Amino acid sequence: MAGRFVRASKYRHVFGRSTKKELCYDNLHISRNAWDSNIIKVNPTYLAVNWESGGGGAFAVIPLSEKGRAPEQIPLFRGHTAPVLDTDWSPFNDSIIASGSDDGKVFIWQVPENFTLQCDGEPQDVAPVHRLAGHARKVGHVLWHPVSENVLATNSGDFTIKLWDAETGDPKLTLKHNDLVQSMSFSGNGSMMVTTCRDKRLRIWDLRQEKAVHEAAGHQGAKNSRAVWMGDHDRIATTGFTRTSDRQLGLWDIHKPTEPIGGFQTLDSISGVCMPFWDDGTKCLYLAGRGDGNIRYFEYANDDFIILSEYKSADAQRGIAFLPKRGVALHENEVMRAFKTVNDTYIEPISFVVPRRAETFQNDIYPPAPSGRPGLKSAEWFGGKDASVPLFDLEQLYSPEGAAVDVSMAKTFSPVATAAPAPVGKLATPVENKVAASAPAAVESPVRPPSPAKKDPAPQAFEIPALKKVTRPPSPVKPVSPNAEKPVVNTKLDSPASPVYVQVCTPLTFHASPASPARMQDTPDISVLATIPEQLVRITALLETQNKLLASQTDQIGTLTTEVDQLKMQISGEQSEGAKKDEIIRKLELELEQARS
């Protein structure tokens, strides 16, 4: 007997949800440059947009919390003498961003503390903190290393890709191509890279050897092709065109890249470039077309891409960016969020949600995600060490207490350095040493309640001369609810952010508040223990309120059930009376026929 089987998948019913216009980011002057890049980049704090401006190139940084219509004049990030072609946020510091321009320069920027678009007077533009010079022609793409801090890859019109040590500003490695590089993507641990080129060749590089270990014929169409490395898998996904301009999707084995697995899959005949984005947590591939409003998403299983669904919109997009997993809305079962440009005037968020009715953390759809901590320092990576991306449990961000926990201090799941027995962090600070020493205790209690918030003393100013490390204090964490008395972790100077070497003509002044010494104590805080009975009383009161509400709802349901039964009886009575009337009419008709005969 033939039967119909449905493939089991947790993400089979994922759907895309649009956003109201008033909750979008409006009144923007998005760049109309024809260069093939994503135009926008996003992290859990800021959104970067290539800006249409005169007098040199610029881009804008928009805080994600400032939705709605932007002011007519906003502070821009200026410094390039030609249009900005691409930007990329550091995966380890939400305030560090790199940019590449048509002027052949690469700049590194730091977002000022408490940055906002709402200025009382004339908005002040932001200048770069570091300049990297080495390319002979325009810099088309910039990409930070996924594991090692301060390692940046850039490709240029001089047919090369350079890997920079941002701490020293020197290009350490160079990958030479035969033509213009169209896209590049790091492997899961960052030791290899895949590139697509205008010569229609797909290349897989061993970065430290500076040579291509595999090279194969890619998509044969004349338009641009893209490639993305599928995380820790030894697979690569590519998008491109046929000779007849049909869009294609390809899946490649890095060990046998002579041809794609199962051949190329034809998508459609739309002319826009297809931009691929890989989510390593859900094993899903998102394809966003340039010039159309659709976003397809596939699930990877058994060396095949299974189509899940497609988000359709009449608003075409030219640029798109996807939010890192540590920034999604966990309480809404959101597994991915995209930001798309619309009409070059505003940016619309698109949420991809798993439809579930649950009030608890859904750990089956949220596997461990990148924690935002580096696994290696730049000198260690250039020296030959490899490491996995440090992961953490997203459940630590689900509860209100977890929202106040610094992600960089969260418990990780992956071993960091392969050449050393202990994880290799950014800098060996006393705070991180205490975290490593207390790791066995974290098994019983992964997240210890933070200490109560204390008033910080007045900021102390200190000057940093030129070419010195600048450590940016992370932004203070805001409590989730203003009515609830939630303790707030003092993150200032306890876990320093990634250093950036500043090259300026005059000394810079930074402000920082001293850290709270009670944050990383090994013994429980007495004030925290004193709040436990109060929390139990609140929970008991909340349960009693919910029980009363359930009882009232049960009474309402009983009343409604009685009314429904009465209506059913009334309808049945009316139906019986109608049947009697029909019987009388039938008898009268028979008597009439007899009388006529």
Side-chain angles (χ1 to χ4, degrees), residues 1 33 73 111 280 313 323 400 410-411 568:
M1 180 179 65
N33 193 285
Q73 292 185 351
V111 181
D280 199 40
S313 172
L323 187 68
K411 185 180 75 171
K568 288 181 178 179

Side-chain angles (χ1 to χ4, degrees), residues 21-241:
K21 180 67 178 295
E22 55 269 20
L23 297 179
C24 297
Y25 304 89
D26 199 1
N27 195 30
L28 306 179
H29 303 281
I30 302 174
S31 174
R32 294 181 174 83
N33 193 285
W35 177 252
D36 182 23
S37 70
N38 294 342
I39 301 179
I40 61 176
K41 292 293 177 67
V42 67
N43 66 18
T45 309
Y46 299 108
L47 177 68
V49 186
N50 294 355
W51 203 257
E52 184 73 19
S53 64
F59 67 95
V61 171
I62 305 171
L64 291 185
S65 58
E66 298 185 11
K67 301 178 182 179
R69 186 176 179 84
E72 293 298 330
Q73 292 185 351
I74 63 173
L76 297 177
F77 286 62
R78 292 184 181 273
H80 289 288
T81 58
V84 175
L85 301 181
D86 193 27
T87 58
D88 194 37
W89 290 103
S90 169
F92 313 120
N93 191 329
D94 289 344
S95 295
I96 299 297
I97 186 172
S99 64
S101 171
D102 210 349
D103 60 6
K105 301 295 190 299
V106 179
F107 289 170
I108 297 177
W109 316 71
Q110 183 172 12
V111 181
E113 188 176 0
N114 300 324
F115 179 77
T116 179
L117 300 182
Q118 309 297 330
C119 302
D120 295 334
E122 186 73 16
Q124 298 294 325
D125 292 338
V126 180
V129 297
H130 200 28
R131 294 170 170 83
L132 307 178
H135 285 296
R137 302 185 65 179
K138 65 181 178 182
V139 178
H141 300 93
V142 293
L143 185 64
W144 289 99
H145 196 277
V147 178
S148 177
E149 62 178 350
N150 297 329
V151 176
L152 180 67
T154 61
N155 73 42
S156 170
D158 58 9
F159 305 162
T160 63
I161 293 178
K162 292 184 181 295
L163 279 87
W164 307 77
D165 186 348
E167 292 188 4
T168 61
D170 298 328
K172 298 291 187 178
L173 303 172
T174 301
L175 312 180
K176 297 182 180 180
H177 292 71
N178 299 327
D179 210 326
L180 183 67
V181 178
Q182 296 173 338
S183 71
M184 57 182 177
S185 178
F186 282 105
S187 62
N189 63 356
S191 63
M192 304 181 73
M193 175 181 283
V194 59
T195 62
T196 59
C197 189
R198 195 164 57 184
D199 62 2
K200 305 176 185 179
R201 306 291 292 180
L202 180 72
R203 295 178 175 87
I204 300 174
W205 297 82
D206 185 335
L207 295 178
R208 298 185 186 91
Q209 299 296 327
E210 299 182 78
K211 66 178 182 180
V213 294
H214 294 292
E215 182 176 344
H219 299 271
Q220 297 303 305
K223 299 180 181 179
N224 287 3
S225 60
R226 297 274 191 105
V228 60
W229 202 295
M230 296 167 56
D232 292 331
H233 298 280
D234 53 357
R235 298 289 186 268
I236 295 170
T238 62
T239 59
F241 293 84

Side-chain angles (χ1 to χ4, degrees), residues 388-430:
S388 300
V389 178
L391 306 177
F392 81 114
D393 191 354
L394 286 170
E395 189 174 3
Q396 301 180 44
L397 302 179
Y398 184 82
S399 62
E401 292 81 5
V405 174
D406 187 1
V407 174
S408 64
M409 306 302 296
K411 185 180 75 171
T412 58
F413 291 85
S414 61
V416 181
T418 57
V424 180
K426 174 187 171 298
L427 292 174
T429 61

Side-chain angles (χ1 to χ4, degrees), residues 91-94 326 369-374 390-393 396-397 402-412 425-426 429 431-432 435-436 472 474-475 477 489-498 519-520:
F92 313 120
N93 191 329
D94 289 344
R326 55 191 171 93
S371 64
R373 297 178 58 192
L391 306 177
F392 81 114
D393 191 354
Q396 301 180 44
L397 302 179
V405 174
D406 187 1
V407 174
S408 64
M409 306 302 296
K411 185 180 75 171
T412 58
K426 174 187 171 298
T429 61
V431 173
E432 293 177 348
V435 174
R472 183 192 63 82
S475 302
V477 180
V489 176
N490 183 10
T491 59
K492 297 183 179 180
L493 293 183
D494 282 352
S495 55
S498 303
R519 176 182 175 182
M520 298 305 295

Side-chain angles (χ1 to χ4, degrees), residues 336-405:
M336 184 60 74
R337 188 187 308 171
F339 292 77
K340 57 176 285 187
T341 64
V342 180
N343 299 327
D344 292 334
T345 57
Y346 72 94
I347 295 176
E348 177 187 7
I350 306 296
S351 296
F352 294 91
V353 180
V354 176
R356 288 186 181 181
R357 300 184 62 180
E359 298 180 357
T360 58
F361 179 73
Q362 305 295 297
N363 55 5
D364 61 325
I365 63 175
Y366 290 116
S371 64
R373 297 178 58 192
L376 294 171
K377 293 186 290 188
S378 58
E380 293 173 330
W381 186 82
F382 284 113
K385 289 186 179 180
D386 288 330
S388 300
V389 178
L391 306 177
F392 81 114
D393 191 354
L394 286 170
E395 189 174 3
Q396 301 180 44
L397 302 179
Y398 184 82
S399 62
E401 292 81 5
V405 174

